[in-house]
Amino acid sequence: MLSLCPALRRALQARPWRGPGLRWKHAPSLKVANEPVLAFTQGSPERDALQKALKHLKGQTEAIPCVVGDEEVWTSDVQYQVSPFNHGHKVAKFCYADTALLNRAIEAALAARKEWDLKPVADRAQIFLKAADMLSGPRRAEVLAKTMVGQGKTVIQAEIDAAAELIDFFRFNAKFAVELEGQQPLSVPPSTNSVVYRGLEGFVAAISPFNFTAIGGNLAGAPALMVRWPSLSRGPQPGLPSGFSTFKHLWKQVAQNLDQFRTFPRLAGECGGKNFHFVHCSADVDSVVSGTLRSAFEYGGQKCSACSRLYVPQSLWPQIKGRLLEEHGRIKVGNPAEDFGTFFSAVIDAKSFGRIKKWLEHARSSPSLTILAGGKCDDSVGYFVEPCIVQSKDPQEPIMKEEIFGPVLTVYVYPDDKYKETLQLVDSTTSYGLTGAVFAQDKDVVQEATTMLRNAAGNFYINDKSTGSVVGQQPFGGSRASGESVSLSEEEASSWWVALIPSSQGC
């Protein structure tokens, strides 16, 4: 038996191990709620404000420089971003950062961190809560208009992204930060223990994709809130592309100076996905058709969570096919800034248009594929691709495996008695694992599918579409290639968000 010295024994016997002597330190929690999504009905104040904001942007080109500290900087590498549905309109003029400017940005971020780190979490949270209030009120119409014109979103897609989701990110992040600081260790009198949450030394380069203004705000805002000020943030500020060339330039510098880092730089990324809807013979056809068309074609299939592969049993295929084609014919394609009734607009740029067009050419030439509807391409005014429904005889056809990031939905029809084997196909066909949905009324089938597809998606839905996660309700993230830290090629840039986190050494 371990023998304690007399002094330690007396101290232990005298210390009140139970009751009021044990103390926890708790911080007050912020109460937040999801931002209401406005309807923009005819004659509503929000509709009038948005129409005025869109009118103001017509024909305008906004200059967006690099910003280092408080200084606006232009390099010689000037670029223009055009509107997806009208590439004759240059919506933004911007520039790519060079090596010298990147290093200046890193130095400015490290210098700013010293003061920012000392600000209480509650004070930092108030800045983001104020930003959320501004977006919710006086700046809402402006950010929506710029998202619509710069990223080709319809009014509702802009509203759920650039307003509601970004506001939610700022408010919920503030809430979580305050609550995190409240997680403190146990204190036993006379000792008082506390944890100080501080940011790691170094810098963050936050490069988000074009498709969500909310991701642009969150990817840079979250590390800033948690005391790690981004030295470079390039993302979907309304009217800007993903900034991949800047990222490629930065990552190249990191690679060339790898031996100078004390720790390896970390590339954290979320790739897109080859997201699925699996339909069982017990499914409700209405929910399948509505959910699949919305998931596949809202925002031109350019959501990371968009459904691009559909598995349908033979017994339901005639009915589902007829309904899909009927509803497909009603899809309204056009300029969302001029017609708020538009369901579908252009894809983001010429590069995306060309990539999708190649896949559609493949669909026309492959003996395993049949185009059932849509698929025409026209870039004379904007980068328009008709929403396309393809049927595949081969479940392993490349179009069932590779991410297209456009309005292309591929259907595989399976024998009803092979649904378990088809679930295995769903799980094993692609390297991705972002979102997926199962449509079935049979509770045993739902349970079985949930078990078999446990690792096939980060966000898994039952009798609902694979898109539309809401901050605070459905945490969003992927598995497999959709959630790993991996190298990034230029071809993949359109569907990635990344956070590049080297150590405190400069490039």
Side-chain angles (χ1 to χ4, degrees):
M1 182 175 178
L2 181 63
S3 177
L4 300 177
C5 69
L8 180 57
R9 185 184 298 111
R10 287 194 299 271
L12 292 174
Q13 291 173 344
R15 181 159 296 185
W17 290 102
R18 297 180 181 178
L22 297 178
R23 301 197 310 271
W24 290 89
K25 180 182 177 182
H26 294 282
S29 177
L30 292 171
K31 292 184 178 180
V32 299
N34 291 116
E35 175 72 7
V37 175
L38 303 184
F40 295 89
T41 54
Q42 193 73 38
S44 64
E46 65 266 20
R47 186 185 181 102
D48 293 341
L50 179 56
Q51 288 175 328
K52 289 178 182 178
L54 287 167
K55 184 178 180 180
H56 176 74
L57 290 179
K58 198 166 186 178
Q60 296 295 314
T61 301
E62 185 167 352
I64 304 179
C66 294
V67 179
V68 177
D70 295 327
E71 181 184 359
E72 296 185 352
V73 182
W74 287 93
T75 67
S76 58
D77 194 356
V78 174
Q79 305 286 329
Y80 289 90
Q81 170 71 12
V82 300
S83 178
F85 51 78
N86 177 15
H87 49 59
H89 178 195
K90 295 179 179 179
V91 298
K93 172 186 176 183
F94 64 97
C95 65
Y96 287 142
D98 55 24
T99 302
L101 191 57
L102 287 172
N103 280 308
R104 282 180 57 192
I106 293 169
E107 292 168 1
L110 296 177
R113 177 190 176 277
K114 295 177 182 178
E115 180 180 352
W116 183 250
D117 182 36
L118 297 177
K119 286 187 178 294
V121 170
D123 290 354
R124 297 198 298 269
Q126 286 301 320
I127 294 174
F128 286 89
L129 293 172
K130 176 65 175 178
D133 289 344
M134 292 175 67
L135 286 168
S136 179
R139 304 298 291 272
R140 192 184 201 112
E142 177 189 351
V143 74
L144 292 182
K146 290 182 176 179
T147 297
M148 291 172 70
V149 174
Q151 290 149 253
K153 293 205 169 187
T154 63
V155 58
I156 186 60
Q157 293 301 312
E159 168 69 6
I160 63 176
D161 164 27
E165 187 170 27
L166 182 53
I167 292 166
D168 283 352
F169 274 137
F170 285 168
R171 287 176 176 162
F172 278 87
N173 284 355
K175 169 185 170 65
F176 295 150
V178 171
E179 289 177 349
L180 178 64
E181 189 179 47
Q183 299 296 315
Q184 293 292 331
L186 184 69
S187 291
V188 179
S191 299
T192 299
N193 303 314
S194 63
V195 173
V196 176
Y197 291 90
R198 60 177 176 81
L200 299 175
E201 295 176 298
F203 68 93
V204 170
I207 301 95
S208 60
F210 69 86
N211 60 343
F212 277 90
T213 301
I215 298 179
N218 186 49
L219 198 62
L225 174 62
M226 298 308 296
V227 207
R228 194 157 184 175
W229 197 257
S231 60
L232 174 65
S233 174
R234 175 58 63 91
Q237 303 172 51
L240 284 185
S242 65
F244 175 70
S245 293
T246 303
F247 163 73
K248 181 172 63 176
H249 192 49
L250 178 60
W251 187 244
K252 182 179 180 181
Q253 292 181 65
V254 171
Q256 290 173 343
N257 295 278
L258 201 58
D259 60 333
Q260 299 181 27
F261 289 91
R262 296 191 183 96
T263 60
F264 282 103
R266 294 177 294 283
L267 173 61
E270 176 259 301
C271 190
K274 193 65 179 175
N275 309 302
F276 63 86
H277 280 187
F278 173 83
V279 182
H280 184 256
C281 61
S282 66
D284 174 70
V285 171
D286 288 341
S287 63
V288 170
V289 173
S290 173
T292 301
L293 287 175
R294 288 190 60 192
S295 178
F297 299 138
E298 283 182 338
Y299 192 43
Q302 296 174 117
K303 297 182 180 182
C304 299
S305 54
C307 173
S308 56
R309 52 188 176 123
L310 173 65
Y311 298 83
V312 180
Q314 284 178 335
S315 61
L316 290 184
W317 177 231
Q319 188 178 359
I320 289 177
K321 178 182 177 181
R323 291 287 310 283
L324 284 173
L325 298 184
E326 179 184 357
E327 296 300 325
H328 178 277
R330 296 193 178 109
I331 292 177
K332 192 172 185 179
V333 181
N335 181 336
E338 295 180 353
D339 184 356
F340 282 9
T342 299
F343 174 81
F344 185 94
S345 186
V347 297
I348 189 65
D349 58 19
K351 185 175 180 181
S352 178
F353 177 88
R355 183 182 66 250
I356 298 167
K357 187 176 181 179
K358 287 182 180 179
W359 275 108
L360 294 174
E361 291 170 351
H362 168 73
R364 293 186 182 95
S365 62
S366 172
S368 299
L369 302 176
T370 302
I371 293 181
L372 302 179
K376 294 180 181 178
C377 303
D378 183 359
D379 62 350
S380 58
V381 177
Y383 305 112
F384 288 95
V385 179
E386 282 186 348
C388 185
I389 301 175
V390 181
Q391 184 175 352
S392 177
K393 299 176 185 177
D394 179 6
Q396 298 292 344
E397 220 284 335
I399 203 169
M400 296 287 292
K401 301 168 74 74
E402 301 297 329
E403 185 185 38
I404 300 175
F405 219 66
V408 182
L409 171 68
T410 306
V411 186
Y412 174 69
V413 181
Y414 69 89
D416 287 42
D417 60 353
K418 299 290 184 182
Y419 87 89
K420 292 183 181 181
E421 291 86 344
T422 306
L423 284 172
Q424 292 174 343
L425 270 176
V426 173
D427 183 46
S428 61
T429 296
T430 80
S431 60
Y432 299 106
L434 189 55
T435 70
V438 168
F439 291 83
Q441 297 300 311
D442 187 319
K443 294 183 178 180
D444 291 335
V445 170
V446 169
Q447 183 59 51
E448 188 170 31
T450 301
T451 300
M452 293 183 67
L453 300 176
R454 182 177 178 84
N455 298 305
N459 282 62
F460 185 72
Y461 299 85
I462 298 170
N463 294 318
D464 195 5
K465 59 187 176 63
S466 63
T467 59
S469 64
V470 177
V471 177
Q473 297 185 33
Q474 297 93 18
F476 187 78
S479 57
R480 299 175 178 170
S482 297
E484 298 174 354
S485 297
V486 295
S487 61
L488 176 62
S489 69
E490 187 169 359
E491 288 297 318
E492 295 170 312
S494 65
S495 60
W496 270 77
W497 65 259
V498 296
L500 177 62
I501 313 173
S503 68
S504 57
Q505 296 290 319
C507 287

